[in-house]
Amino acid sequence: MTLLEAARFLRLSERSLYALARARKVPCARIGGKWLFERALLESWLRKRTDFGTDGDALLVPPPILAGSHDPLLEWAVRRSRCGLALKPGGSLDGLDALARNEALVAGVHVVDPDSGDYNRAAIDDALPGRDVVAIEWAAREQGLILAAGNPHGIADLSGVVAKRLRFVPRQEQAGSHVLFLHLLSEAGIALDAVTRAADAALSESDVAASIVEGKADAGFGIRASAAQAGLGFVPLARERFDLVLRRRDYFEPPMQTLLAFARGAEFAARAARLTGYDVSGLGRVVLNR
């Protein structure tokens, strides 16, 4: 089948299937500049990714794991609510991959689409094409530059980091913060290699702050809450949306319902206010349902 025929067979957009083919995530062949797909291999690929077991009845239930991006408020709420979710922090894109492999129940995601400025929809489309999925808003967060206490270098924006050759701790490529950082650099007309790299990539918001506290770096990119927890300086650069992504059926299961019920309470609201940098007025809003 051609790309168009295969996309119709899978009920995907040509763009989504093309992205899968380029990433070699779907069986295909490229001959004479054209993508070709064998129907039998596509059917086998679908069977391996289906939600149903070999008997056609038993649903494959993912483990009660919350994968993806690290968020201090979410980490606290998971533990405090006793919702039964285990935390497996990593990057936003790692979380979506874990969801696609049925290795996690929920993924924490905050990935900006550079073309539209919207959050998470394009990343979900790429990682989970054709899959039933729902995205629930967790919080809006302030993202920006995390700096030494008191901002001793007087940094006001990204150009100041470059001009003063501050040692900058990066995030891993799969992190939503890294995607947003690259987007902001592009908007400012700054090349990535103009930023002085200080150390290996930090794997969480807390690791960024720790690198600065320990003197391994002068600056990093992350959320206001992480800077405040560590007593560091902060320069806001963007407001982002952090979503919880999962299958529709799993939204109604006890872990997610317990977490959301706790997040509607006074204790949670007080914690969000103390951490600073959060707007939880939209928490629980369905931003994607397909």
Side-chain angles (χ1 to χ4, degrees):
M1 292 185 287
T2 64
L3 180 68
L4 175 60
E5 292 168 340
R8 287 174 176 171
F9 169 70
L10 295 171
R11 297 188 179 182
L12 298 175
S13 68
E14 288 183 76
R15 177 183 175 184
S16 293
L17 182 56
Y18 177 74
L20 287 171
R22 287 199 63 186
R24 299 300 183 183
K25 293 183 177 180
V26 63
C28 59
R30 191 172 186 184
I31 301 174
K34 293 183 178 181
W35 291 101
L36 298 176
F37 305 82
E38 184 177 341
R39 185 186 181 100
L41 292 178
L42 286 182
E43 291 174 340
S44 175
W45 178 77
L46 277 175
R47 282 194 295 271
K48 292 177 181 178
R49 295 172 67 90
T50 187
D51 291 338
F52 292 88
T54 55
D55 61 2
D57 293 320
L59 287 170
L60 293 176
V61 179
I65 290 174
L66 196 163
S69 182
H70 169 253
D71 176 72
L73 181 60
L74 179 59
E75 179 183 13
W76 173 83
V78 166
R79 300 186 191 282
R80 188 70 175 171
S81 68
R82 299 183 179 180
C83 63
L85 289 171
L87 293 165
K88 186 182 179 182
S92 293
L93 301 180
D94 290 323
L96 290 175
D97 286 343
L99 207 61
R101 296 192 301 268
N102 212 45
E103 295 174 358
L105 187 81
V106 192
V109 181
H110 61 113
V111 182
V112 67
D113 179 359
D115 295 327
S116 68
D118 190 20
Y119 275 85
N120 303 326
R121 186 180 297 269
I124 292 170
D125 287 342
D126 288 342
L128 300 162
R131 306 281 282 274
D132 71 285
V133 68
V134 62
I136 307 298
E137 180 174 340
W138 176 251
R141 312 189 305 179
E142 283 187 271
Q143 278 269 22
L145 294 171
I146 299 177
L147 304 157
N151 190 4
H153 298 282
I155 301 300
D157 51 29
L158 288 170
S159 63
V161 173
V162 175
K164 298 196 175 183
R165 300 186 62 81
L166 298 190
R167 298 169 301 153
F168 193 91
V169 56
R171 289 295 306 278
Q172 75 270 39
E173 291 184 0
Q174 295 291 89
S177 293
H178 180 70
V179 176
L180 178 57
F181 179 63
L182 293 181
H183 176 55
L184 294 176
L185 282 178
S186 177
E187 285 191 327
I190 300 172
L192 179 60
D193 58 11
V195 179
T196 303
R197 184 177 174 127
D200 293 335
L203 300 181
S204 72
E205 301 282 351
S206 301
D207 289 346
V208 172
S211 293
I212 297 170
V213 169
E214 295 168 4
K216 297 177 181 178
D218 303 309
F221 189 74
I223 61 173
R224 181 185 288 275
S226 292
Q229 281 185 307
L232 297 172
F234 182 79
V235 175
L237 297 179
R239 175 186 168 95
E240 65 172 11
R241 195 183 73 238
F242 189 105
D243 294 335
L244 299 177
V245 182
L246 68 165
R247 302 291 180 82
R248 283 197 299 267
R249 67 164 193 259
D250 295 328
Y251 170 81
F252 299 99
E253 294 301 314
M256 190 65 176
Q257 289 301 306
T258 301
L259 176 62
L260 290 177
F262 174 79
R264 297 184 185 102
E267 183 183 2
F268 176 86
R271 178 74 174 190
R274 284 198 302 273
L275 284 174
T276 72
Y278 285 100
D279 178 357
V280 295
S281 61
L283 191 149
R285 180 173 66 96
V286 177
V287 295
L288 174 66
N289 184 6
R290 69 176 195 204

